[in-house]
Amino acid sequence: MLSDRQLALLLVLPLIFLQFVICIYPIVYSLWLSFYDVRLMARTMRFVGLTNYLKLGADPLFKHSLIISLRFVAETVALIVAISLFAALIMNERIKGKSLLKVAVIMPWALSEFAVAIAARFFLDRNYGFLNAFLKNLGVIQEGINFLTANYAVEWLAIFYAWNVAPIGAYFILSALQTIPEDLYKQAKIDGASAFLRFRAVIFPFISYAVLITAALATILAASSIVLCFALTGGGPGFASLLATLYDFRVFFYNQDFGYGAAISWILLALVMVVVVLYFTLLTRRR
Amino acid sequence: MPEDEVLKKKISRRKAISRLAAAAAVVGVGVVAGVGGYFAGASAAGPAQTVTATKTVTETKTVGGPGATATVTVTETAGAATVTKTETVTQTITAPAKTTVTGPPLQFVHWHYRDDIVHSYVQKFEEYYGEKVEEILLANENYGPLIEAKFQAGDKIDMCYGNFFMVTRFIAMGWCRDVETLPQIIQIKAEMYPSIVEAYSTADGKLAGLPYFWSARSVPVVNDVILEKAGMAGERPATWDELWDMSRQIKAAGAAEYPVMPHWFNAFYGIQWDFEAELGNAYDDPDLSKTFVSKDFEPVFDVGTEVAELLKTWQDVVNEGLVDPSVFGQAGDSDHVSAIVTGKYAFCPTAIYYFKVMNDPSQTTIPVGKANLVPVKKQGWGVIDTGLYSWPVNVTDEERSQKLLLFFGWRTPWGERLTATSWAKTDALNSGYTDTIRRADVIAAYREWLGDRTEETLKIMDDIAATMSRPFIYKSPMYLEYANFAFPVLSAVASGTQSVDDGVKTLRDKLVELHKKYHGG
């Protein structure tokens, strides 16, 4: 007869095994790989120490893609927090059709990044896109606008990624909003507090933790995003929207430069970790 | 009782259980029947089937070295017109008694394209040989990396799809082999277009695989509606320069905001292939060994050469507003074709296999008969788009995998060119074999959507097969890495965010680096 502890261990064992096979082993393997120069054609694997990491400093494309990624993440996080907050505040109001609104808000979250890319294409295209057709019908423009230019491709990626991810933040914040006692609102109103003051003094202290969680989650997701960029712009025009994740994917899988690709992914992971640790330091302080 | 009433009725637990049991019994019978059918199919004699084949016969002669013979079909010509004699052969074929195939199923790895049709070919193979084939479908966008991962993992694969430059890598890595050891190889080569044999052969002249299809990318399709608007009805450019000149006139006439939707989307098979097409076509250098990369795989271009001249032309036509700049934001084929079918452009260089889409009123706004290929006159058009059946080294069974390869890539045991003919009929895919496009049933299939333009169009396709770019660099395993590096550079140069000289130097430096990496140069 198994003891409770043994039974628990037995039940958890498959999960630990899967976790090891799917996550831990590849992660450790990629770290190991990052110290090697792998040559498929020559079938050689040579230990090169930190050379792959040092190479990064001299790779202009990596630097460029990192800047693009930082821009994308910053814009995406700002948009996600703003949209989430706005949607949560609306959903928290006593308005007609609230249930429908809640469904409408969560719907983009149900889409895969690839589907979002297709939707974005149908929205933005110069020839058959919704936005151009809409503007033309309003008489605002005569000829279609090319929205996915080198200057603005990253911004469009950020907008559509935020649209995809913001619903989950909205629901985080909504759940926090619903913990605010009704009396506090009433009291603030009686005291004559303006809407902004009510938000700052009553609402925000209750939801700040949820907002921070949303920002942390948005950062992690945006920093690891690749599909939207791959399918909507392919990193272009030129290199204009080449995210570091897409660059890493090309180095690793297309060029099959496994050591260098692994080194890029570890640097990206380290950068995300720094930001996440920062978030969680803030979170802990708040609590 | 109407179905909705039945559904509305509350079903008792007993009824539910009994229905479940009945359903299980039906499924069980189905499974038993299926399994039984499989084993029965594998052991019993195959069904008799009638095959109607149409063949074009003109003259035959025997070629080959000692101990090897092959029959070659030669088209007899009289003046400019091609004279062909068509005869229909009807045979009744009984498949040989099949033996039970006891080994594991054959592994056929392919990308997604008309999976239903591919599966029907697989079924025919299974039926005839009493075989079992497992199809493994890999995502199109990452087909190369995914199949290479399978090879690296040591998976047994009996046959796989590959673009030629992929197969070059597979062979260089020792994962696949050339097909020179096939007993029918002389016959096979004799039946193919000489240009396709050359394009599908490795640097040392060995046929890398059997042809699945060939197509050409960046082949200009003209929209006659726009030309008529511009008062240039029926005119055709004979060179890329003439195409840009005509575009200038079209723009000046106000017939199109952007006369050209170039094949410049942001993928290696987009702008990179267009570069190879235009360079080879415009400078009469089909294998690009004089203008781009030599037969030793070393770059032969620099600032001030043809490559720079071409890129300068691109920047100029962008600045003149001759091409739609939205192409730089397109990620792949679907974006590109979706733009073309709006009918807003006078010239749309594209893949030949999308030419059918442009002539299908359910998929395009271009009126029927108004989207046409441009005849080959002073120069070739396009660059080859390759598809091969590749023969891996680590197979389930030598003999069985060879049968699979020949069935798909050459002929069925009853002599039918099954897949090539079907692809030509259903999807207008070009075959590596010269006779496919001359078959009466294939011509009839083309006629269904091309009408009286059929002969002219098929002639253009034949001319393109002989004259399109067939870059020698495809024979190097470095090509894929180069192409994936190069396409954003070309896009940046064409869109004006990088200078021509910078772009040329970047491309050259990369090729020097890759030459060293792959060829020890």
Side-chain angles (χ1 to χ4, degrees), chain A residues 43 121 126-127 236 238 256, chain B residues 148 173 266 324 329 335 345 491:
Chain A
R43 288 195 160 77
R121 168 65 55 193
R126 201 180 79 85
N127 287 309
Q256 303 211 324
Chain B
E148 290 198 9
M173 294 300 301
N266 217 26
D324 186 343
D335 297 342
Y345 309 97
S491 178

Side-chain angles (χ1 to χ4, degrees), chain A residues 14 44 48 75 77 85 100 117-118 120 150 165 179 207-208 224 275 282:
Chain A
T44 57
V48 290
E75 290 171 359
V77 172
L85 196 58
L100 277 177
I118 304 291
V165 173
T179 63
I207 63 168
S208 58
S224 57
V275 179
L282 280 172

Side-chain angles (χ1 to χ4, degrees), chain B residues 141-200:
Chain B
E141 293 293 343
N142 300 315
Y143 182 82
L146 289 173
I147 194 166
E148 290 198 9
K150 289 181 82 62
F151 283 131
Q152 283 166 35
D155 287 9
K156 282 192 189 306
I157 299 174
D158 295 280
M159 183 176 78
C160 61
Y161 280 2
N163 295 120
F164 173 71
F165 44 82
M166 286 180 188
V167 179
T168 303
R169 270 176 77 94
F170 301 163
I171 292 174
M173 294 300 301
W175 296 323
C176 287
R177 51 186 137 176
D178 60 62
V179 292
E180 293 290 329
T181 55
L182 290 174
Q184 304 87 342
I185 189 65
I186 294 172
Q187 177 75 26
I188 289 168
K189 282 186 181 179
E191 290 172 7
M192 290 171 67
Y193 287 94
S195 59
I196 305 296
V197 173
E198 174 211 311
Y200 287 4

Side-chain angles (χ1 to χ4, degrees), chain B residues 85-329:
Chain B
K85 177 186 160 195
T86 303
E87 65 181 58
T88 302
V89 181
T90 304
Q91 294 176 260
T92 299
I93 292 164
T94 304
K98 293 165 193 163
T99 51
T100 306
V101 177
T102 51
L106 295 171
Q107 306 293 308
F108 172 24
V109 180
H110 60 92
W111 56 62
H112 289 277
Y113 181 73
R114 300 299 300 265
D115 300 338
D116 52 334
I117 295 179
V118 178
H119 185 63
S120 72
Y121 300 153
V122 167
Q123 282 178 319
K124 283 192 176 170
F125 175 79
E126 289 179 330
E127 198 179 300
Y128 185 82
Y129 283 113
E131 267 287 3
K132 193 70 190 161
V133 178
E134 195 174 313
E135 287 178 70
I136 300 161
L137 286 100
L138 302 180
N140 292 21
E141 293 293 343
N142 300 315
Y143 182 82
L146 289 173
I147 194 166
E148 290 198 9
K150 289 181 82 62
F151 283 131
Q152 283 166 35
D155 287 9
K156 282 192 189 306
I157 299 174
D158 295 280
M159 183 176 78
C160 61
Y161 280 2
N163 295 120
F164 173 71
F165 44 82
M166 286 180 188
V167 179
T168 303
R169 270 176 77 94
F170 301 163
I171 292 174
M173 294 300 301
W175 296 323
C176 287
R177 51 186 137 176
D178 60 62
V179 292
E180 293 290 329
T181 55
L182 290 174
Q184 304 87 342
I185 189 65
I186 294 172
Q187 177 75 26
I188 289 168
K189 282 186 181 179
E191 290 172 7
M192 290 171 67
Y193 287 94
S195 59
I196 305 296
V197 173
E198 174 211 311
Y200 287 4
S201 294
T202 56
D204 55 356
K206 292 173 176 168
L207 193 63
L210 295 185
Y212 158 25
F213 72 91
W214 73 266
S215 186
R217 286 222 171 221
S218 212
V219 167
V221 174
V222 59
N223 178 354
D224 278 315
V225 175
I226 305 282
L227 259 62
E228 284 159 16
K229 261 194 215 167
M232 303 164 77
E235 288 185 32
R236 297 290 184 261
T239 64
W240 282 99
D241 279 344
E242 287 184 22
L243 185 144
W244 297 123
D245 284 341
M246 282 179 71
S247 302
R248 283 183 190 99
Q249 293 173 48
I250 290 163
K251 189 166 177 85
E257 186 190 4
Y258 298 110
V260 185
M261 169 49 77
H263 192 267
W264 289 358
F265 50 88
N266 217 26
F268 79 84
Y269 57 93
I271 192 163
Q272 170 64 28
W273 284 8
D274 186 277
F275 169 80
E276 292 160 13
E278 290 193 46
L279 195 64
N281 302 159
Y283 297 99
D284 190 23
D285 182 21
D287 65 7
L288 275 66
S289 64
K290 294 187 206 96
T291 53
F292 183 50
V293 171
S294 72
K295 292 190 176 176
D296 297 324
F297 305 115
E298 286 183 276
V300 293
F301 64 93
D302 209 333
V303 176
T305 61
E306 293 88 348
V307 167
E309 192 176 77
L310 175 62
L311 295 180
K312 179 71 176 60
T313 304
W314 282 8
Q315 283 191 341
D316 290 346
V317 296
V318 170
N319 292 335
E320 288 177 65
L322 300 184
V323 305
D324 186 343
S326 70
V327 72
F328 296 117

Side-chain angles (χ1 to χ4, degrees), chain A residues 50-174:
Chain A
L50 291 172
T51 307
N52 284 327
Y53 291 93
L54 296 174
K55 242 169 80 177
L56 287 168
D59 182 350
L61 261 186
F62 172 71
K63 285 186 210 163
H64 169 83
S65 68
L66 200 61
I67 292 166
I68 297 289
S69 275
L70 289 174
R71 187 170 137 199
F72 172 72
V73 171
E75 290 171 359
T76 305
V77 172
L79 279 170
I80 287 175
V81 170
I83 296 169
S84 303
L85 196 58
F86 180 73
L89 288 170
I90 299 276
M91 287 193 290
N92 198 42
E93 290 297 313
R94 288 202 182 102
I95 49 171
K96 261 190 178 178
K98 199 160 124 179
S99 312
L100 277 177
L101 182 70
K102 282 183 173 177
V103 173
V105 167
I106 199 71
M107 273 168 77
W109 176 249
L111 296 176
S112 70
E113 259 188 78
F114 192 80
V116 172
I118 304 291
R121 168 65 55 193
F122 277 92
F123 188 80
L124 297 172
D125 195 90
R126 201 180 79 85
N127 287 309
Y128 52 87
F130 170 81
L131 189 53
N132 270 309
F134 182 69
L135 294 174
K136 267 186 201 168
N137 284 337
L138 285 182
V140 177
I141 56 171
Q142 298 303 314
E143 291 295 339
I145 298 172
N146 176 29
F147 290 108
L148 289 171
T149 60
N151 290 337
Y152 300 111
V154 178
E155 281 64 43
W156 284 111
L157 287 177
I159 288 169
F160 277 93
Y161 195 71
W163 175 67
N164 185 212
V165 173
I168 197 71
Y171 273 80
F172 274 148
I173 296 169
L174 179 64

Side-chain angles (χ1 to χ4, degrees), chain B residues 220-519:
Chain B
V221 174
V222 59
N223 178 354
D224 278 315
V225 175
I226 305 282
L227 259 62
E228 284 159 16
K229 261 194 215 167
M232 303 164 77
E235 288 185 32
R236 297 290 184 261
T239 64
W240 282 99
D241 279 344
E242 287 184 22
L243 185 144
W244 297 123
D245 284 341
M246 282 179 71
S247 302
R248 283 183 190 99
Q249 293 173 48
I250 290 163
K251 189 166 177 85
E257 186 190 4
Y258 298 110
V260 185
M261 169 49 77
H263 192 267
W264 289 358
F265 50 88
N266 217 26
F268 79 84
Y269 57 93
I271 192 163
Q272 170 64 28
W273 284 8
D274 186 277
F275 169 80
E276 292 160 13
E278 290 193 46
L279 195 64
N281 302 159
Y283 297 99
D284 190 23
D285 182 21
D287 65 7
L288 275 66
S289 64
K290 294 187 206 96
T291 53
F292 183 50
V293 171
S294 72
K295 292 190 176 176
D296 297 324
F297 305 115
E298 286 183 276
V300 293
F301 64 93
D302 209 333
V303 176
T305 61
E306 293 88 348
V307 167
E309 192 176 77
L310 175 62
L311 295 180
K312 179 71 176 60
T313 304
W314 282 8
Q315 283 191 341
D316 290 346
V317 296
V318 170
N319 292 335
E320 288 177 65
L322 300 184
V323 305
D324 186 343
S326 70
V327 72
F328 296 117
Q330 294 175 350
D333 268 334
S334 60
D335 297 342
H336 190 243
V337 175
S338 299
I340 291 174
V341 296
T342 58
K344 292 182 176 177
Y345 309 97
F347 297 106
C348 302
T350 186
I352 290 187
Y353 46 73
Y354 292 128
F355 181 55
K356 190 177 180 186
V357 173
M358 286 168 222
N359 280 276
D360 177 353
S362 70
Q363 299 188 70
T364 181
T365 56
I366 303 171
V368 174
K370 296 294 183 185
N372 289 294
L373 291 179
V374 178
V376 175
K377 285 181 182 164
K378 294 181 193 166
Q379 61 167 48
W381 291 122
V383 62
I384 191 166
D385 185 354
T386 57
L388 286 88
Y389 296 105
S390 179
W391 196 13
V393 171
N394 186 17
V395 295
T396 311
D397 182 281
E398 280 294 322
E399 197 186 331
R400 290 167 63 203
S401 71
Q402 186 175 314
K403 280 180 184 165
L404 183 67
L405 189 77
L406 288 167
F407 190 94
F408 273 75
W410 185 47
R411 291 177 185 278
T412 63
W414 56 90
E416 188 184 359
R417 206 181 296 291
L418 176 72
T419 60
T421 308
S422 301
W423 285 129
K425 288 197 280 192
T426 58
D427 289 64
L429 272 185
N430 298 92
S431 158
Y433 297 104
T434 53
D435 58 356
T436 310
I437 214 169
R438 291 172 176 80
R439 287 174 56 106
D441 53 345
V442 171
I443 292 169
Y446 271 98
R447 196 177 298 283
E448 277 176 28
W449 56 277
L450 279 171
D452 57 7
R453 296 174 294 149
T454 305
E455 277 71 22
E456 181 197 352
T457 304
L458 295 184
K459 163 83 169 64
I460 295 173
M461 286 183 183
D462 251 4
D463 291 344
I464 288 172
T467 57
M468 65 190 161
S469 293
R470 303 177 295 277
F472 200 80
I473 191 179
Y474 287 6
K475 301 181 196 299
S476 165
M478 74 181 185
Y479 176 72
L480 254 185
E481 187 170 343
Y482 170 73
N484 277 298
F485 171 84
F487 77 82
V489 177
L490 293 173
S491 178
V493 172
S495 60
T497 55
Q498 191 172 359
S499 74
V500 169
D501 287 359
D502 259 9
V504 171
K505 278 181 195 156
T506 309
L507 296 178
R508 186 183 161 82
D509 289 349
K510 187 68 183 178
L511 279 165
V512 170
E513 177 198 324
L514 292 177
H515 182 257
K516 195 175 170 191
K517 179 176 168 183
Y518 285 92
H519 299 287

